[in-house]
């Protein structure tokens, strides 16, 4: 029974491998004819039979690159990067991955991938040329980023300086307003003093010490009489209350 199961598994594996190779060969024929839509279907069928197939991912990525679907092509190549690096055609894998990075203007990745391709095939002049091109583009990108960063810093500094100047101007304006207000108040006080000096001084009556003493005595006498009347009313009120209590 175990032998029968093993035989069936081997047969299914052989059929699957045969079917996958058939799909890959069909996809390659369609790719050469530039029938990219048909080739896409064939390569994806091959992947359904073996999702880890480096050849299927690699071929599908090339087909997607021809259709300018660079993001998906990068995903297909990245999916098998670890295993592809050990294949005999690893230099081709890294070269194509570098081309995809160039199409996406991902210069750092392009430099890294062409470098890996050259490590495996130092005599590859195309890889060397592409490596130099990507490296120059990366340097230009870094220089531009540094320039942009410096411009941003300068703009921030200028903006801060302008804000400080505006604040100083506002403070100076406020101080000038306060000084103007003080001057205005001072001028108003001076005008008031002038008006008071210009007005005729009224003649105040002169009172002798004897007259002042007499007036004070008269006021005190009047207050005394008023207090006596109040005391009389209080006394009458007390008498009436006492009568009520005496029964």
């Amino acid at each position: 029974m175990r032998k029968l199961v093993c035989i069936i598994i081997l047969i299914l594996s052989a059929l699957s491998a045969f079917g996958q190779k058939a799909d890959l060969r069909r996809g390659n024929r369609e790719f050469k004819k530039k029938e990219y839509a048909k080739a896409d279907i064939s390569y994806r069928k091959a992947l359904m039979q073996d999702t880890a197939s480096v050849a299927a991912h690699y071929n599908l990525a090339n087909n997607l690159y021809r259709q300018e679907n660079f993001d998906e092509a990068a995903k297909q190549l990245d999916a098998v990067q670890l295993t592809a690096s050990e294949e005999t055609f690893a230099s081709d894998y890294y070269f194509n991955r570098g081309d995809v990075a160039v199409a996406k203007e991902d210069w750092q990745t392009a430099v890294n991938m062409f470098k890996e391709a050259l490590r495996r095939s130092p005599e590859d002049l195309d890889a060397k040329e592409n490596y130099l091109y990507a490296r120059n583009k990366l340097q230009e990108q870094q220089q531009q980023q540094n320039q942009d960063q410096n411009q941003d810093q300068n703009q921030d500094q200028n903006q801060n300086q302008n804000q400080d100047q505006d604040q100083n101007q506002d403070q100076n304006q406020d101080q000038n307003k306060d000084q103007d207000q003080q001057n205005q108040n001072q001028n108003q006080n001076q005008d008031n003093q002038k008006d008071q000096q210009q007005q005729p001084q009224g003649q105040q009556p002169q009172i002798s010490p004897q007259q002042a003493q007499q007036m004070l005595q008269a006021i005190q006498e009047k207050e005394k009489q008023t207090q006596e009347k109040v005391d009389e009313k209080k006394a009458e009120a007390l008498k009436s209350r006492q009568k009520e209590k005496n029964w």
Side-chain angles (χ1 to χ4, degrees):
M1 189 65 168
R2 290 181 179 178
K3 290 182 180 181
L4 179 60
V5 172
C6 292
I7 292 172
I8 293 173
I9 292 174
L10 290 174
I11 293 173
L12 291 175
S13 299
L15 291 174
S16 177
F18 178 80
Q20 184 191 37
K21 290 181 180 180
D23 290 329
L24 287 175
R25 287 195 295 268
R26 186 185 307 109
N28 292 340
R29 290 194 298 269
E30 293 164 345
F31 180 80
K32 290 180 181 179
K33 294 178 182 180
K34 298 183 180 181
E35 297 175 349
Y36 301 124
K38 292 181 179 180
D40 190 274
I41 295 174
S42 298
Y43 292 137
R44 291 185 186 277
K45 284 183 177 179
L47 277 175
M48 290 176 63
Q49 298 178 49
D50 183 5
T51 57
S53 173
V54 175
H57 281 287
Y58 179 84
N59 293 352
L60 178 58
N62 291 346
N63 193 61
L64 292 168
Y65 181 88
R66 296 294 181 181
Q67 300 175 79
E68 297 185 356
N69 189 350
F70 305 120
D71 290 335
E72 185 63 25
K75 290 180 181 179
Q76 294 297 327
L77 290 172
D78 290 342
V80 290
Q81 181 173 351
L82 293 178
T83 52
S85 62
E86 304 300 329
E87 298 289 341
T88 55
F89 55 87
S91 61
D92 293 339
Y93 167 84
Y94 283 111
F95 184 93
N96 285 1
R97 184 62 183 89
D99 267 353
V100 172
V102 168
K104 297 178 63 177
E105 296 185 355
D106 182 3
W107 305 117
Q108 184 63 67
T109 300
V111 168
N112 295 339
M113 293 301 156
F114 288 130
K115 188 183 295 184
E116 291 295 331
L118 284 171
R119 285 177 179 174
R120 289 163 175 79
S121 296
E123 72 283 356
D124 190 342
L125 296 180
D126 291 335
K128 185 175 182 179
E129 182 179 355
N130 287 4
Y131 168 75
L132 294 175
Y133 173 77
R135 189 182 65 178
N136 291 336
K137 284 293 185 179
L138 178 60
Q139 291 175 351
E140 291 177 2
Q141 185 183 56
Q142 292 173 344
Q143 290 175 356
Q144 185 63 41
Q145 289 175 349
N146 292 334
Q147 290 178 359
D148 294 340
Q149 185 176 2
N150 292 333
Q151 288 179 355
D152 292 339
Q153 290 177 351
N154 291 333
Q155 288 178 356
D156 292 339
Q157 290 177 355
N158 292 333
Q159 185 176 2
N160 292 333
Q161 290 177 356
N162 293 333
Q163 289 178 352
D164 293 338
Q165 291 177 355
D166 292 339
Q167 290 178 355
N168 292 332
Q169 289 178 357
D170 293 339
Q171 290 177 356
N172 292 332
Q173 289 177 355
D174 292 338
Q175 291 176 355
N176 292 333
K177 288 180 180 179
D178 293 339
Q179 186 64 37
D180 292 340
Q181 185 65 33
Q182 291 177 359
N183 294 334
Q184 185 177 359
N185 293 336
Q186 186 176 3
N187 293 333
Q188 186 174 0
N189 292 333
Q190 291 176 356
D191 292 338
N192 292 335
Q193 291 177 359
K194 288 180 180 179
D195 292 339
Q196 290 176 359
Q197 292 175 358
Q198 291 175 358
Q199 290 178 358
Q201 297 292 332
Q203 297 295 328
Q204 297 181 356
Q206 298 295 328
I207 301 175
S208 64
Q210 293 81 3
Q211 290 175 340
Q213 183 65 28
Q214 291 175 358
M215 290 176 63
L216 179 60
Q217 290 177 354
I219 293 172
Q220 291 176 348
E221 183 65 26
K222 191 174 182 179
E223 290 179 351
K224 182 179 179 181
Q225 292 175 359
T226 302
Q227 186 65 39
E228 288 176 353
K229 291 180 180 180
V230 171
D231 293 339
E232 289 178 358
K233 289 182 179 181
K234 288 182 178 180
E236 291 178 358
L238 288 172
K239 288 178 182 179
S240 64
R241 283 198 295 271
Q242 287 173 352
K243 284 183 179 181
E244 291 176 356
K245 292 181 180 178
N246 189 12
W247 37 275

